[in-house]
Protein backbone atom coordinates (compact mmCIF):
# COMPACT_ATOMS: atom_id res chain seq x y z
CA UNK A 1 0.00 0.00 0.00
CA UNK A 2 1.42 3.37 -1.01
CA UNK A 3 1.54 5.82 1.87
CA UNK A 4 0.58 8.81 -0.31
CA UNK A 5 -1.33 10.54 2.47
CA UNK A 6 1.75 10.47 4.68
CA UNK A 7 4.25 12.28 2.46
CA UNK A 8 2.76 15.78 2.82
CA UNK A 9 3.09 15.39 6.60
CA UNK A 10 6.68 14.24 6.21
CA UNK A 11 7.50 17.26 4.04
CA UNK A 12 5.85 19.60 6.52
CA UNK A 13 7.77 18.10 9.44
CA UNK A 14 11.09 17.41 7.73
CA UNK A 15 12.94 20.33 9.27
CA UNK A 16 10.71 20.99 12.28
CA UNK A 17 12.40 21.21 15.63
CA UNK A 18 11.77 18.09 17.69
CA UNK A 19 11.46 19.78 21.08
CA UNK A 20 8.07 21.48 20.54
CA UNK A 21 6.77 18.46 18.61
CA UNK A 22 7.67 16.19 21.52
CA UNK A 23 6.24 18.58 24.11
CA UNK A 24 2.92 18.49 22.23
CA UNK A 25 2.78 14.69 22.06
CA UNK A 26 4.17 13.89 25.51
CA UNK A 27 0.85 12.57 26.83
CA UNK A 28 -0.51 10.78 23.81
CA UNK A 29 2.79 9.19 22.77
CA UNK A 30 3.52 7.51 26.06
CA UNK A 31 2.14 3.99 26.48
CA UNK A 32 2.06 1.32 29.14
CA UNK A 33 2.65 -2.27 28.01
CA UNK A 34 3.25 -5.24 30.33
CA UNK A 35 6.42 -4.54 32.32
CA UNK A 36 7.55 -1.78 29.94
CA UNK A 37 6.81 1.91 29.55
CA UNK A 38 7.17 3.15 26.00
CA UNK A 39 7.69 6.78 25.07
CA UNK A 40 7.40 7.73 21.40
CA UNK A 41 7.06 11.47 21.83
CA UNK A 42 10.49 12.21 20.37
CA UNK A 43 9.58 10.82 16.96
CA UNK A 44 9.21 13.25 14.08
CA UNK A 45 5.43 13.43 14.24
CA UNK A 46 2.72 15.85 15.26
CA UNK A 47 -0.94 15.11 15.98
CA UNK A 48 -2.18 15.27 12.34
CA UNK A 49 0.75 13.15 11.11
CA UNK A 50 0.16 10.63 13.88
CA UNK A 51 -3.52 10.43 13.00
CA UNK A 52 -2.65 9.82 9.34
CA UNK A 53 -0.11 7.18 10.33
CA UNK A 54 -2.66 5.37 12.50
CA UNK A 55 -5.15 5.51 9.63
CA UNK A 56 -2.52 4.01 7.36
CA UNK A 57 -2.01 1.19 9.86
CA UNK A 58 -5.74 0.52 10.03
CA UNK A 59 -6.07 0.54 6.26
CA UNK A 60 -3.09 -1.82 5.96
CA UNK A 61 -4.98 -4.31 8.12
CA UNK A 62 -2.72 -4.54 11.16
CA UNK A 63 -5.53 -5.80 13.37
CA UNK A 64 -6.39 -8.45 10.82
CA UNK A 65 -2.71 -9.38 10.67
CA UNK A 66 -2.72 -10.04 14.42
CA UNK A 67 -5.93 -12.04 14.11
CA UNK A 68 -4.30 -14.11 11.34
CA UNK A 69 -1.26 -14.80 13.50
CA UNK A 70 -3.20 -15.82 16.59
CA UNK A 71 -5.74 -17.87 14.60
CA UNK A 72 -2.98 -19.99 13.10
CA UNK A 73 -3.77 -18.85 9.57
CA UNK A 74 -1.03 -19.05 6.98
CA UNK A 75 1.16 -15.99 7.51
CA UNK A 76 4.19 -17.58 5.85
CA UNK A 77 2.82 -18.09 2.34
CA UNK A 78 6.06 -19.14 0.63
CA UNK A 79 6.33 -22.10 3.00
CA UNK A 80 2.56 -22.40 3.33
CA UNK A 81 2.58 -22.33 7.12
CA UNK A 82 1.23 -20.46 10.10
CA UNK A 83 3.75 -18.98 12.56
CA UNK A 84 3.07 -20.53 15.95
CA UNK A 85 5.90 -19.31 18.18
CA UNK A 86 3.33 -17.53 20.37
CA UNK A 87 1.69 -20.90 21.18
CA UNK A 88 4.85 -22.00 23.03
CA UNK A 89 4.17 -19.39 25.69
CA UNK A 90 0.39 -19.71 25.95
CA UNK A 91 -0.55 -20.14 29.61
CA UNK A 92 -3.60 -22.30 29.00
CA UNK A 93 -4.45 -25.03 26.54
CA UNK A 94 -5.28 -23.90 23.02
CA UNK A 95 -8.33 -24.87 21.05
CA UNK A 96 -6.69 -25.60 17.70
CA UNK A 97 -4.96 -28.99 17.91
CA UNK A 98 -1.91 -27.80 15.92
CA UNK A 99 -1.45 -24.86 18.32
CA UNK A 100 -1.86 -27.08 21.36
CA UNK A 101 0.68 -29.51 19.92
CA UNK A 102 3.18 -26.65 19.59
CA UNK A 103 2.40 -25.51 23.15
CA UNK A 104 3.12 -29.01 24.43
CA UNK A 105 6.19 -29.53 22.25
CA UNK A 106 8.67 -28.06 24.70
CA UNK A 107 7.45 -30.12 27.67
CA UNK A 108 9.81 -33.12 27.23
CA UNK A 109 12.80 -30.77 26.92
CA UNK A 110 11.65 -28.82 29.99
CA UNK A 111 11.39 -32.05 31.99
CA UNK A 112 14.81 -33.20 30.81
CA UNK A 113 16.32 -29.79 31.67
CA UNK A 114 14.79 -29.97 35.14
CA UNK A 115 16.39 -33.36 35.67
CA UNK A 116 19.80 -32.23 34.40
CA UNK A 117 19.60 -29.16 36.61
CA UNK A 118 18.59 -31.22 39.63
CA UNK A 119 21.28 -33.80 38.92
CA UNK A 120 18.93 -36.73 38.38
CA UNK A 121 19.93 -37.07 34.73
CA UNK A 122 23.65 -37.58 35.02
CA UNK A 123 26.82 -38.00 33.01
CA UNK A 124 27.97 -41.44 31.83
CA UNK A 125 29.97 -41.99 35.03
CA UNK A 126 26.96 -41.33 37.25
CA UNK A 127 28.01 -37.85 38.40
CA UNK A 128 25.98 -34.71 37.63
CA UNK A 129 26.81 -32.71 34.52
CA UNK A 130 28.99 -29.73 35.38
CA UNK A 131 28.90 -27.98 32.03
CA UNK A 132 26.53 -27.52 29.10
CA UNK A 133 27.91 -26.77 25.65
CA UNK A 134 25.31 -25.28 23.31
CA UNK A 135 25.99 -25.67 19.59
CA UNK A 136 23.83 -23.89 16.99
CA UNK A 137 23.85 -20.78 14.81
CA UNK A 138 21.54 -17.90 13.84
CA UNK A 139 18.14 -18.40 15.39
CA UNK A 140 19.44 -21.55 17.02
CA UNK A 141 22.06 -19.54 18.89
CA UNK A 142 21.22 -15.86 19.44
CA UNK A 143 18.21 -16.53 21.67
CA UNK A 144 19.84 -18.91 24.16
CA UNK A 145 22.92 -16.66 24.24
CA UNK A 146 20.74 -13.65 25.04
CA UNK A 147 18.88 -15.55 27.77
CA UNK A 148 22.19 -16.62 29.27
CA UNK A 149 23.62 -13.09 29.28
CA UNK A 150 20.42 -11.46 30.47
CA UNK A 151 19.17 -13.94 33.04
CA UNK A 152 21.74 -16.54 33.97
CA UNK A 153 25.40 -15.56 33.68
CA UNK A 154 27.36 -16.63 36.73
CA UNK A 155 24.18 -17.34 38.72
CA UNK A 156 24.37 -21.05 37.99
CA UNK A 157 26.37 -23.93 39.32
CA UNK A 158 26.75 -25.24 35.77
CA UNK A 159 29.10 -23.72 33.26
CA UNK A 160 27.28 -22.72 30.07
CA UNK A 161 29.25 -22.29 26.84
CA UNK A 162 28.25 -21.48 23.28
CA UNK A 163 29.75 -22.40 19.95
CA UNK A 164 28.37 -21.17 16.62
CA UNK A 165 31.11 -20.20 14.19
CA UNK A 166 32.66 -22.32 11.48
CA UNK A 167 35.98 -20.80 12.52
CA UNK A 168 37.64 -23.74 14.34
CA UNK A 169 38.78 -21.32 17.05
CA UNK A 170 35.20 -21.03 18.27
CA UNK A 171 34.95 -24.68 19.24
CA UNK A 172 38.48 -24.67 20.69
CA UNK A 173 37.55 -21.74 22.91
CA UNK A 174 34.16 -23.14 23.84
CA UNK A 175 35.64 -26.34 25.29
CA UNK A 176 38.59 -24.64 26.97
CA UNK A 177 38.81 -25.97 30.53
CA UNK A 178 35.72 -28.23 30.21
CA UNK A 179 35.82 -31.88 31.26
CA UNK A 180 34.15 -33.95 28.50
CA UNK A 181 33.24 -36.58 31.08
CA UNK A 182 31.03 -33.98 32.81
CA UNK A 183 29.77 -32.01 29.81
CA UNK A 184 26.39 -32.23 28.12
CA UNK A 185 26.42 -31.11 24.48
CA UNK A 186 23.14 -29.55 23.31
CA UNK A 187 22.94 -29.30 19.52
CA UNK A 188 20.18 -27.10 18.09
CA UNK A 189 19.36 -26.99 14.40
CA UNK A 190 15.86 -26.74 13.05
CA UNK A 191 16.89 -28.18 9.71
CA UNK A 192 19.70 -30.34 11.02
CA UNK A 193 21.43 -29.44 7.78
CA UNK A 194 23.36 -26.32 8.71
CA UNK A 195 27.05 -26.67 7.91
CA UNK A 196 28.38 -24.71 10.87
CA UNK A 197 26.35 -26.65 13.40
CA UNK A 198 27.09 -30.05 11.86
CA UNK A 199 30.81 -29.23 11.79
CA UNK A 200 30.87 -28.19 15.45
CA UNK A 201 28.70 -31.12 16.48
CA UNK A 202 31.04 -33.55 14.78
CA UNK A 203 33.98 -31.98 16.59
CA UNK A 204 32.05 -32.27 19.86
CA UNK A 205 31.32 -35.95 19.16
CA UNK A 206 35.02 -36.64 18.59
CA UNK A 207 35.96 -34.69 21.70
CA UNK A 208 33.51 -36.73 23.79
CA UNK A 209 34.38 -40.02 22.11
CA UNK A 210 38.10 -39.63 22.77
CA UNK A 211 37.38 -39.09 26.47
CA UNK A 212 34.49 -41.44 27.22
CA UNK A 213 34.21 -43.79 24.24
CA UNK A 214 30.74 -44.99 23.21
CA UNK A 215 29.11 -43.33 26.23
CA UNK A 216 29.39 -40.08 24.20
CA UNK A 217 25.81 -40.63 23.11
CA UNK A 218 24.53 -40.06 26.64
CA UNK A 219 26.23 -36.68 26.61
CA UNK A 220 24.37 -35.32 23.61
CA UNK A 221 20.87 -33.84 23.33
CA UNK A 222 19.65 -32.62 19.95
CA UNK A 223 16.82 -30.18 19.25
CA UNK A 224 15.43 -30.16 15.73
CA UNK A 225 12.43 -30.22 13.41
CA UNK A 226 14.16 -32.94 11.41
CA UNK A 227 14.19 -36.01 13.65
CA UNK A 228 15.26 -38.34 10.88
CA UNK A 229 18.47 -36.45 10.20
CA UNK A 230 19.21 -36.10 13.91
CA UNK A 231 18.65 -39.82 14.49
CA UNK A 232 20.87 -40.66 11.53
CA UNK A 233 23.58 -38.41 12.97
CA UNK A 234 23.37 -40.16 16.34
CA UNK A 235 23.82 -43.36 14.38
CA UNK A 236 22.70 -45.78 17.06
CA UNK A 237 19.85 -46.36 19.41
CA UNK A 238 19.92 -43.92 22.29
CA UNK A 239 20.70 -40.25 22.45
CA UNK A 240 18.07 -37.68 23.07
CA UNK A 241 16.17 -35.78 20.41
CA UNK A 242 13.72 -32.98 21.25
CA UNK A 243 11.25 -31.33 18.91
CA UNK A 244 11.39 -27.86 17.44
CA UNK A 245 8.04 -27.46 15.67
CA UNK A 246 8.20 -26.77 11.97
CA UNK A 247 5.81 -23.82 12.34
CA UNK A 248 8.23 -22.06 14.72
CA UNK A 249 10.87 -20.14 12.77
CA UNK A 250 14.47 -20.29 13.94
CA UNK A 251 14.55 -16.60 14.87
CA UNK A 252 11.30 -17.05 16.82
CA UNK A 253 12.44 -20.22 18.60
CA UNK A 254 13.79 -18.76 21.85
CA UNK A 255 10.62 -20.02 23.64
CA UNK A 256 11.08 -23.59 22.46
CA UNK A 257 13.35 -26.50 23.28
CA UNK A 258 16.03 -24.45 21.49
CA UNK A 259 16.64 -22.87 24.90
CA UNK A 260 17.28 -26.29 26.45
CA UNK A 261 20.88 -25.48 27.42
CA UNK A 262 19.71 -22.40 29.35
CA UNK A 263 17.02 -24.42 31.11
CA UNK A 264 19.59 -27.09 32.07
CA UNK A 265 21.85 -24.42 33.55
CA UNK A 266 19.24 -22.25 35.26
CA UNK A 267 16.43 -24.71 35.88
CA UNK A 268 13.15 -24.64 33.94
CA UNK A 269 11.62 -21.97 36.24
CA UNK A 270 13.53 -19.16 34.50
CA UNK A 271 12.19 -20.21 31.13
CA UNK A 272 8.65 -20.51 32.57
CA UNK A 273 8.77 -16.88 33.82
CA UNK A 274 10.27 -15.77 30.50
CA UNK A 275 7.40 -17.40 28.61
CA UNK A 276 4.84 -15.96 31.05
CA UNK A 277 6.12 -12.44 30.37
CA UNK A 278 5.74 -13.03 26.65
CA UNK A 279 2.20 -14.33 27.16
CA UNK A 280 1.32 -11.10 28.97
CA UNK A 281 2.65 -9.11 26.03
CA UNK A 282 0.68 -11.33 23.62
CA UNK A 283 -2.49 -10.49 25.54
CA UNK A 284 -1.69 -6.78 25.36
CA UNK A 285 -0.96 -6.90 21.63
CA UNK A 286 -4.16 -8.83 20.94
CA UNK A 287 -6.49 -6.80 23.14
CA UNK A 288 -5.16 -3.26 23.53
CA UNK A 289 -6.99 -0.59 21.53
CA UNK A 290 -5.22 0.29 18.30
CA UNK A 291 -3.76 3.61 19.58
CA UNK A 292 -2.56 2.02 22.81
CA UNK A 293 -1.07 -1.07 21.25
CA UNK A 294 2.71 -0.91 21.74
CA UNK A 295 3.54 -3.31 18.89
CA UNK A 296 1.29 -1.50 16.42
CA UNK A 297 2.68 1.89 17.38
CA UNK A 298 6.29 0.70 17.10
CA UNK A 299 5.69 -0.96 13.74
CA UNK A 300 4.09 2.24 12.44
CA UNK A 301 7.10 4.25 13.63
CA UNK A 302 9.37 1.81 11.77
CA UNK A 303 7.36 2.38 8.62
CA UNK A 304 7.26 6.15 9.11
CA UNK A 305 10.99 6.48 9.74
CA UNK A 306 12.16 4.12 7.02
CA UNK A 307 9.64 4.33 4.22
CA UNK A 308 8.35 7.88 4.60
CA UNK A 309 11.15 9.91 6.18
CA UNK A 310 13.81 7.76 4.51
CA UNK A 311 16.08 7.01 7.48
CA UNK A 312 18.03 3.91 6.46
CA UNK A 313 19.13 2.69 9.92
CA UNK A 314 18.05 2.36 13.51
CA UNK A 315 20.37 2.23 16.52
CA UNK A 316 19.32 0.07 19.48
CA UNK A 317 20.98 1.42 22.61
CA UNK A 318 20.53 -1.03 25.46
CA UNK A 319 21.20 0.70 28.76
CA UNK A 320 21.78 -2.55 30.63
CA UNK A 321 24.85 -4.72 30.78
CA UNK A 322 22.55 -7.73 30.76
CA UNK A 323 21.03 -6.70 27.42
CA UNK A 324 24.25 -6.12 25.57
CA UNK A 325 23.44 -8.96 23.14
CA UNK A 326 20.01 -7.53 22.38
CA UNK A 327 21.13 -5.58 19.27
CA UNK A 328 22.64 -8.75 17.76
CA UNK A 329 19.48 -10.71 18.60
CA UNK A 330 17.24 -8.05 17.06
CA UNK A 331 19.46 -7.77 14.03
CA UNK A 332 18.53 -11.31 13.05
CA UNK A 333 14.91 -10.98 14.13
CA UNK A 334 14.27 -7.82 12.13
CA UNK A 335 16.75 -7.94 9.27
CA UNK A 336 16.28 -11.60 8.40
CA UNK A 337 12.50 -11.18 8.72
CA UNK A 338 12.01 -7.95 6.81
CA UNK A 339 15.18 -7.48 4.76
CA UNK A 340 13.26 -8.17 1.56
CA UNK A 341 12.29 -6.36 -1.59
CA UNK A 342 9.75 -8.69 -3.20
CA UNK A 343 6.22 -9.41 -1.98
CA UNK A 344 4.79 -12.92 -1.67
CA UNK A 345 3.02 -12.44 -5.03
CA UNK A 346 6.40 -11.85 -6.72
CA UNK A 347 5.99 -8.10 -7.27
CA UNK A 348 8.53 -5.58 -6.02
CA UNK A 349 7.80 -3.52 -2.92
CA UNK A 350 7.14 0.16 -3.47
CA UNK A 351 8.99 1.65 -0.49
CA UNK A 352 12.17 1.01 1.46
CA UNK A 353 11.80 -1.93 3.86
CA UNK A 354 13.63 -2.89 7.08
CA UNK A 355 16.33 -0.44 8.13
CA UNK A 356 19.84 -1.60 9.00
CA UNK A 357 19.76 -2.27 12.71
CA UNK A 358 22.83 -2.00 14.86
CA UNK A 359 23.62 -0.86 18.35
CA UNK A 360 25.28 -1.72 21.58
CA UNK A 361 25.47 -1.26 25.28
CA UNK A 362 24.95 2.04 27.05
CA UNK A 363 26.78 3.79 28.55
CA UNK A 364 29.75 2.18 26.78
CA UNK A 365 28.63 3.29 23.30
CA UNK A 366 28.68 6.91 24.49
CA UNK A 367 32.46 6.72 24.33
CA UNK A 368 32.40 5.44 20.79
CA UNK A 369 29.71 5.79 18.11
CA UNK A 370 27.48 8.26 19.98
CA UNK A 371 29.78 11.01 18.64
CA UNK A 372 28.63 9.93 15.15
CA UNK A 373 24.99 9.80 16.28
CA UNK A 374 25.17 13.33 17.70
CA UNK A 375 27.26 15.19 15.16
CA UNK A 376 27.64 12.94 12.11
CA UNK A 377 26.01 13.87 8.83
CA UNK A 378 23.46 11.03 9.01
CA UNK A 379 20.29 11.22 11.05
CA UNK A 380 19.71 7.83 12.67
CA UNK A 381 16.66 7.16 14.84
CA UNK A 382 17.69 5.62 18.12
CA UNK A 383 15.88 3.28 20.48
CA UNK A 384 16.80 3.51 24.15
CA UNK A 385 16.12 0.45 26.28
CA UNK A 386 16.61 1.07 29.96
CA UNK A 387 16.31 -2.11 32.05
CA UNK A 388 16.75 -1.38 35.73
CA UNK A 389 17.60 -3.81 38.47
CA UNK A 390 16.29 -2.47 41.80
CA UNK A 391 18.75 -4.71 43.65
CA UNK A 392 21.72 -3.10 41.92
CA UNK A 393 23.71 -0.28 43.46
CA UNK A 394 21.25 2.70 43.36
CA UNK A 395 23.95 5.28 42.73
CA UNK A 396 25.13 3.48 39.57
CA UNK A 397 21.59 2.83 38.38
CA UNK A 398 20.62 6.47 38.84
CA UNK A 399 23.69 7.60 36.92
CA UNK A 400 22.95 5.11 34.14
CA UNK A 401 19.36 6.38 33.92
CA UNK A 402 20.59 9.97 33.83
CA UNK A 403 22.93 9.14 30.96
CA UNK A 404 20.22 7.42 28.94
CA UNK A 405 17.82 10.35 29.43
CA UNK A 406 20.58 12.85 28.67
CA UNK A 407 21.54 11.14 25.43
CA UNK A 408 17.94 11.05 24.22
CA UNK A 409 17.46 14.71 25.12
CA UNK A 410 20.63 15.89 23.39
CA UNK A 411 19.95 13.81 20.29
CA UNK A 412 16.51 15.42 20.00
CA UNK A 413 17.16 18.98 21.14
CA UNK A 414 20.80 19.48 20.25
CA UNK A 415 22.80 22.45 21.43
CA UNK A 416 22.69 25.63 19.39
CA UNK A 417 25.45 28.16 18.69
CA UNK A 418 23.52 30.70 20.80
CA UNK A 419 23.45 28.35 23.78
CA UNK A 420 27.16 27.70 23.41
CA UNK A 421 27.95 31.41 23.21
CA UNK A 422 25.84 32.06 26.31
CA UNK A 423 27.47 29.22 28.26
CA UNK A 424 31.00 29.91 27.10
CA UNK A 425 31.44 33.56 26.19
CA UNK A 426 34.71 34.28 24.44
CA UNK A 427 34.99 30.83 22.90
CA UNK A 428 36.69 31.00 19.49
CA UNK A 429 33.96 30.88 16.81
CA UNK A 430 35.63 27.92 15.06
CA UNK A 431 35.55 25.88 18.28
CA UNK A 432 32.02 27.02 19.08
CA UNK A 433 30.89 25.83 15.64
CA UNK A 434 32.33 22.37 16.33
CA UNK A 435 30.46 22.16 19.61
CA UNK A 436 27.06 22.64 17.98
CA UNK A 437 24.76 19.62 18.14
CA UNK A 438 22.21 19.89 15.38
CA UNK A 439 19.62 17.83 17.29
CA UNK A 440 16.56 16.63 15.42
CA UNK A 441 17.55 12.99 15.91
CA UNK A 442 14.37 11.05 16.76
CA UNK A 443 14.30 8.36 19.41
CA UNK A 444 12.00 6.02 21.30
CA UNK A 445 12.46 5.21 24.95
CA UNK A 446 11.57 1.87 26.53
CA UNK A 447 11.99 1.49 30.26
CA UNK A 448 11.51 -1.32 32.75
CA UNK A 449 11.67 -0.64 36.48
CA UNK A 450 12.49 -4.21 37.55
CA UNK A 451 14.19 -6.24 34.89
CA UNK A 452 13.79 -10.01 35.23
CA UNK A 453 12.88 -13.10 33.18
CA UNK A 454 9.27 -11.98 32.79
CA UNK A 455 10.35 -8.53 31.60
CA UNK A 456 12.74 -10.03 29.05
CA UNK A 457 9.97 -12.30 27.76
CA UNK A 458 7.61 -9.34 27.41
CA UNK A 459 10.27 -7.32 25.59
CA UNK A 460 11.16 -10.04 23.08
CA UNK A 461 7.49 -10.78 22.36
CA UNK A 462 6.91 -7.06 21.77
CA UNK A 463 9.74 -6.95 19.24
CA UNK A 464 8.49 -10.11 17.52
CA UNK A 465 5.02 -8.62 17.03
CA UNK A 466 6.41 -5.28 15.94
CA UNK A 467 8.60 -7.06 13.38
CA UNK A 468 5.70 -9.03 11.97
CA UNK A 469 3.44 -5.96 11.82
CA UNK A 470 6.15 -3.86 10.16
CA UNK A 471 6.51 -6.69 7.63
CA UNK A 472 2.79 -6.37 6.92
CA UNK A 473 3.16 -2.64 6.37
CA UNK A 474 6.02 -3.29 3.95
CA UNK A 475 4.06 -6.08 2.30
CA UNK A 476 6.73 -8.77 2.78
CA UNK A 477 6.65 -12.26 4.27
CA UNK A 478 8.48 -11.93 7.60
CA UNK A 479 8.81 -15.67 8.11
CA UNK A 480 11.01 -16.89 5.25
CA UNK A 481 14.67 -16.16 4.39
CA UNK A 482 15.50 -17.11 0.81
CA UNK A 483 18.32 -14.57 0.72
CA UNK A 484 20.61 -16.69 2.87
CA UNK A 485 20.37 -19.81 0.71
CA UNK A 486 22.42 -18.65 -2.28
CA UNK A 487 25.54 -18.01 -0.18
CA UNK A 488 25.25 -21.46 1.41
CA UNK A 489 25.11 -23.20 -1.99
CA UNK A 490 27.98 -21.10 -3.30
CA UNK A 491 30.16 -21.90 -0.25
CA UNK A 492 29.73 -25.61 -0.98
CA UNK A 493 30.97 -25.12 -4.56
CA UNK A 494 33.90 -22.95 -3.50
CA UNK A 495 34.92 -25.49 -0.88
CA UNK A 496 35.54 -27.88 -3.79
CA UNK A 497 37.46 -25.16 -5.66
CA UNK A 498 39.71 -24.70 -2.61
CA UNK A 499 40.53 -28.38 -2.38
CA UNK A 500 40.97 -28.90 -6.12
CA UNK A 501 42.59 -25.57 -6.94
CA UNK A 502 40.34 -24.81 -9.91
CA UNK A 503 36.77 -24.67 -11.11
CA UNK A 504 35.47 -21.29 -9.86
CA UNK A 505 33.10 -19.51 -12.24
CA UNK A 506 34.17 -16.09 -11.06
CA UNK A 507 37.69 -14.86 -11.94
CA UNK A 508 38.21 -12.98 -8.65
CA UNK A 509 37.14 -16.00 -6.60
CA UNK A 510 39.40 -18.20 -8.73
CA UNK A 511 42.42 -15.91 -8.24
CA UNK A 512 41.87 -15.70 -4.48
CA UNK A 513 41.28 -19.44 -4.22
CA UNK A 514 44.54 -20.07 -6.09
CA UNK A 515 46.44 -17.84 -3.67
CA UNK A 516 44.80 -19.26 -0.53
CA UNK A 517 44.17 -22.82 -1.63
CA UNK A 518 47.69 -24.12 -0.97
CA UNK A 519 46.94 -23.85 2.76
CA UNK A 520 44.32 -26.60 2.35
CA UNK A 521 46.17 -28.81 -0.18
CA UNK A 522 49.26 -30.85 0.66
O1 LIG B 1 20.75 -17.98 8.47
C1 LIG B 1 19.78 -18.79 7.90
C2 LIG B 1 19.17 -19.69 8.89
O2 LIG B 1 18.32 -20.49 8.18
C3 LIG B 1 18.43 -18.96 10.01
O3 LIG B 1 17.17 -18.55 9.65
C4 LIG B 1 18.44 -19.99 11.07
O4 LIG B 1 18.12 -19.44 12.31
C5 LIG B 1 19.86 -20.48 10.97
O5 LIG B 1 20.11 -20.49 9.58
C6 LIG B 1 20.14 -21.82 11.56
O6 LIG B 1 19.34 -22.81 10.98
P1 LIG B 1 19.12 -24.21 11.65
O7 LIG B 1 18.46 -24.02 12.96
O8 LIG B 1 18.30 -24.98 10.68
O9 LIG B 1 20.48 -24.83 11.84
Amino acid sequence: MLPDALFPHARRLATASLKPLAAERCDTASLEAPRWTLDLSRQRLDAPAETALLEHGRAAGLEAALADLFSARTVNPSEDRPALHWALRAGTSLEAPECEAVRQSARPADAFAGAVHAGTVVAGDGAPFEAILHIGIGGSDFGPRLVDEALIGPKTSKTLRFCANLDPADFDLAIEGLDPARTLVVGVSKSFGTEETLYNLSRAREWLRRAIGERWIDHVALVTANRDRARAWLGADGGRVFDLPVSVGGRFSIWSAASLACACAAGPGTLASFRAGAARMDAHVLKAPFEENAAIRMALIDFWNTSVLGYPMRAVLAYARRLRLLPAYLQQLEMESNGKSVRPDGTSVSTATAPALWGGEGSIGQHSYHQWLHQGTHVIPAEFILALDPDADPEGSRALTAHALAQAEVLANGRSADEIRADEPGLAPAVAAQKVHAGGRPSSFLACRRFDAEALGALIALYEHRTYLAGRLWGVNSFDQWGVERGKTMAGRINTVLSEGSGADDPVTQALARRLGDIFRD
Side-chain angles (χ1 to χ4, degrees):
M1 225 183 102
L2 277 170
D4 290 343
L6 299 177
F7 285 112
H9 294 287
R11 280 193 289 274
R12 183 169 50 74
L13 296 171
T15 54
S17 159
L18 272 186
K19 195 173 180 180
L21 288 182
E24 231 180 70
R25 292 174 61 250
C26 237
D27 297 333
T28 54
S30 187
L31 315 177
E32 286 302 325
R35 305 299 308 273
W36 293 86
T37 296
L38 170 63
D39 188 277
L40 301 171
S41 50
R42 287 203 176 106
Q43 294 295 338
R44 188 165 289 286
L45 284 162
D46 61 3
E50 181 105 88
T51 303
L53 188 58
L54 287 163
E55 268 165 27
H56 180 72
R58 283 203 179 85
L62 294 189
E63 281 168 319
L66 288 170
D68 288 346
L69 180 75
F70 286 103
S71 309
R73 291 191 198 109
T74 297
V75 290
N76 177 358
S78 68
E79 294 171 328
D80 195 21
R81 284 179 200 148
L84 299 181
H85 48 281
W86 55 270
L88 285 158
R89 58 221 191 196
T92 50
S93 57
L94 297 163
E95 230 169 80
E98 59 184 316
C99 300
E100 180 58 14
V102 168
R103 195 178 81 88
Q104 295 289 345
S105 66
R107 300 292 177 262
D110 288 351
F112 175 72
V116 171
H117 184 68
T120 52
V121 164
V122 289
D125 64 358
F129 286 108
E130 289 169 353
I132 322 290
L133 170 60
H134 175 104
I135 294 177
I137 196 165
S140 296
D141 171 66
F142 288 123
R145 246 184 235 261
L146 173 70
V147 169
D148 176 37
E149 279 266 336
L151 305 176
I152 307 174
K155 282 191 286 184
T156 167
S157 54
K158 300 195 192 297
T159 304
L160 183 52
R161 296 271 178 85
F162 292 87
C163 171
N165 202 331
L166 205 42
D167 182 340
D170 203 24
F171 183 80
D172 297 339
L173 274 172
I175 59 166
E176 185 69 43
L178 297 188
D179 176 1
R182 294 287 157 73
T183 301
L184 175 70
V185 174
V186 173
V188 181
S189 175
K190 184 175 175 190
S191 60
F192 216 81
T194 302
E195 186 180 6
E196 292 93 331
T197 301
L198 293 179
Y199 166 76
N200 285 314
L201 274 175
S202 71
R203 287 196 65 193
R205 181 169 52 192
E206 275 321 296
W207 176 66
L208 292 172
R209 197 180 260 151
R210 268 201 303 277
I212 56 175
E214 288 316 302
R215 279 184 297 147
W216 71 271
I217 205 156
D218 298 327
H219 285 234
V220 173
L222 302 176
V223 179
T224 185
N226 197 327
R227 262 184 182 265
D228 291 346
R229 281 191 188 159
R231 281 262 155 241
W233 186 88
L234 286 165
D237 285 343
R240 296 158 178 113
V241 182
F242 297 101
D243 286 326
L244 207 171
V246 85
S247 51
V248 173
R251 54 190 175 273
F252 298 85
S253 68
I254 193 169
W255 324 98
S256 75
S259 293
L260 174 65
C262 295
C264 289
T270 302
L271 217 53
S273 305
F274 175 63
R275 289 182 188 134
R280 284 186 62 189
M281 189 58 79
D282 290 342
H284 164 84
V285 167
L286 248 181
K287 292 183 196 138
F290 201 82
E291 296 80 359
E292 291 163 33
N293 189 312
I296 287 179
R297 293 285 291 269
M298 289 176 96
L300 285 169
I301 296 289
D302 288 338
F303 184 79
W304 172 251
N305 280 339
T306 312
S307 310
V308 183
L309 294 176
Y311 299 132
M313 295 182 209
R314 190 170 103 245
V316 171
L317 310 173
Y319 275 72
R321 160 70 171 73
R322 294 200 279 168
L323 287 180
R324 66 183 177 160
L325 293 187
L326 186 68
Y329 179 84
L330 295 179
Q331 223 162 31
Q332 192 211 16
L333 178 65
E334 297 193 23
M335 293 169 81
E336 198 170 70
S337 296
N338 292 336
K340 293 164 190 170
S341 44
V342 173
R343 301 188 188 97
D345 65 4
T347 57
S348 294
V349 296
S350 49
T351 65
T353 60
L357 186 153
W358 59 274
E361 179 188 358
S363 63
I364 291 173
Q366 290 176 203
H367 303 272
S368 168
Y369 46 81
H370 280 229
Q371 163 63 38
W372 181 84
L373 289 175
H374 285 294
Q375 288 191 310
T377 52
H378 304 279
V379 173
I380 305 303
E383 196 152 279
F384 288 85
I385 298 162
L386 179 68
L388 293 171
D389 175 356
D391 300 328
D393 173 49
E395 191 187 328
S397 295
R398 194 174 56 244
L400 183 74
T401 305
H403 274 280
L405 291 170
Q407 291 293 314
E409 189 176 317
V410 176
L411 282 170
N413 302 346
R415 190 178 180 222
S416 68
D418 286 348
E419 284 173 279
I420 292 163
R421 272 193 292 273
D423 290 347
E424 301 175 74
L427 197 65
V431 178
Q434 291 170 72
K435 289 193 169 193
V436 169
H437 287 57
R441 272 87 166 138
S443 65
S444 300
F445 205 100
L446 270 155
C448 169
R449 300 165 67 86
R450 175 179 285 275
F451 183 74
D452 56 15
E454 201 197 55
L456 181 67
L459 182 72
I460 300 299
L462 174 60
Y463 273 93
E464 285 180 351
H465 292 312
R466 166 224 196 132
T467 300
Y468 164 60
L469 293 172
R472 273 288 169 119
L473 291 167
W474 286 316
V476 300
N477 176 359
S478 302
F479 298 106
D480 60 13
Q481 59 283 319
W482 302 109
V484 299
E485 298 306 323
R486 177 70 176 156
K488 289 185 193 172
T489 317
M490 192 65 87
R493 283 190 212 150
I494 293 174
N495 205 327
T496 313
V497 173
L498 286 172
S499 56
E500 292 174 1
S502 62
D505 292 335
D506 180 271
V508 179
T509 305
Q510 181 59 57
L512 286 168
R514 203 177 312 114
R515 269 180 251 154
L516 295 171
D518 62 325
I519 304 171
F520 313 108
R521 293 190 300 274
D522 298 330

